[in-house]
Amino acid sequence: MRAILLLCLLQAAFGQYSWDRSASLTTPTSGVCLSDLTSCGCCLMRKKVERMESFFNISVEAMSMELKKSRTALNNIRESRSAFSVALNNAKQLTCYGPFPTKTVVIYKHVFINLGDGYSVETGVFTVPRSGVYSVALSAYSKAVSPFTTLAVCAELLVNGQVITGTRDMNTEDLEDSDTFVLAIQLKAGDKVAVNLPIGCSLCDDSTHYNTFTGFLLYATD
Ligand SMILES: *[C@@H]1O[C@H](CO)[C@@H](O)[C@H](O)[C@H]1NC(C)=O
């Protein structure tokens, strides 16, 4: 061993082995280490650098995959933004909708917001753009035109034609009534959500917007 070390030192001292960088980098064999101490140190360093490089390579790869996933998730959230809030009308004078002899979908004409264009001002129907949990709220107001007319403020929430919830206040003791409901509901893409006016009921509104219909996506579930 001592002899080999001595040999190495002698070789280094006499410069018999000039340090050929490319050779020592590409052929890091133990033979070279035994015969050339300079190459030996270089081999170890080279190995360490390689390990570090592959560690960094793996880390960078993992981080860019996470970044890609986050970007996709963020885009999904942006694309699925859905919120509408509408009022019955924007009239200067109190204007009533109903009563009608048959059940009628309430068409809310005044749009506060219709993000994602899910609500149709033509049909009064909100078409669910994306499956998820939605918050749906309604406020209803009506006024009897005289003490002798019946006051009936009522409205039903329809999902694909089925009544989900409603609000109802019918009496002859006062001339004004209002009602609200809010619910969180799981809806599927393509579901049709609307407000129905039951027979004999009416809703009245003006630019004060007592009658509002609101829905927004809390979070997507697909
Ligand atoms: C690290 O990545 C670079 C660029 O992709 C590549 O050239 C190099 O060979 C990689 N190194 C290791 C040790 O994997």
Side-chain angles (χ1 to χ4, degrees):
M1 188 67 196
R2 243 183 230 172
I4 293 167
L5 193 66
L6 193 65
L7 194 64
C8 280
L9 286 170
L10 282 173
Q11 278 166 347
F14 289 106
Q16 268 180 306
Y17 290 76
S18 65
W19 187 45
D20 179 352
R21 194 171 167 272
S22 64
S24 63
L25 287 179
T26 50
T27 55
T29 60
S30 55
V32 174
C33 278
L34 284 176
S35 59
D36 187 342
L37 272 185
T38 325
S39 292
C40 187
C42 181
C43 285
L44 287 175
M45 203 129 103
R46 171 72 189 165
K47 271 185 185 142
K48 275 191 178 162
V49 168
E50 263 175 17
R51 271 211 297 275
M52 261 166 70
E53 196 180 303
S54 83
F55 171 76
F56 280 121
N57 274 9
I58 290 165
S59 306
V60 166
E61 216 169 281
M63 280 194 291
S64 50
M65 260 167 70
E66 284 304 315
L67 186 67
K68 209 172 154 188
K69 270 197 256 172
S70 308
R71 281 207 178 123
T72 312
L74 190 65
N75 280 347
N76 277 348
I77 291 170
R78 283 202 182 122
E79 276 164 24
S80 67
R81 279 190 293 199
S82 171
F84 74 94
S85 193
V86 290
L88 191 59
N89 61 45
N90 198 33
K92 282 201 179 74
Q93 304 267 309
L94 198 70
T95 308
C96 296
Y97 191 81
F100 298 118
T102 54
K103 284 192 169 194
T104 310
V105 167
V106 183
I107 299 172
Y108 293 85
K109 286 292 186 190
H110 184 71
V111 176
F112 295 117
I113 189 171
N114 191 14
L115 197 65
D117 285 327
Y119 177 80
S120 162
V121 91
E122 306 303 320
T123 61
V125 174
F126 170 65
T127 306
V128 174
R130 180 159 191 181
S131 300
V133 175
Y134 285 75
S135 169
V136 180
L138 182 104
S139 69
Y141 167 83
S142 196
K143 186 183 174 101
V145 284
S146 81
F148 310 106
T149 52
T150 314
L151 172 63
V153 48
C154 25
E156 294 168 341
L157 182 76
L158 298 183
V159 175
N160 301 328
Q162 298 284 308
V163 177
I164 300 297
T165 185
T167 165
R168 190 175 175 86
D169 196 340
M170 308 179 86
N171 63 56
T172 52
E173 286 167 13
D174 57 7
L175 296 180
E176 285 179 287
D177 267 323
S178 60
D179 240 332
T180 62
F181 68 69
V182 181
L183 76 159
I185 186 169
Q186 170 84 55
L187 296 169
K188 291 192 307 295
D191 278 353
K192 307 270 182 203
V193 182
V195 175
N196 210 31
L197 191 70
I199 296 166
C201 302
S202 65
L203 301 172
C204 304
D205 216 343
D206 57 21
S207 57
T208 331
H209 309 128
Y210 294 129
N211 287 273
T212 58
F213 177 33
T214 299
F216 53 85
L217 178 65
L218 278 180
Y219 58 87
T221 54
D222 59 357

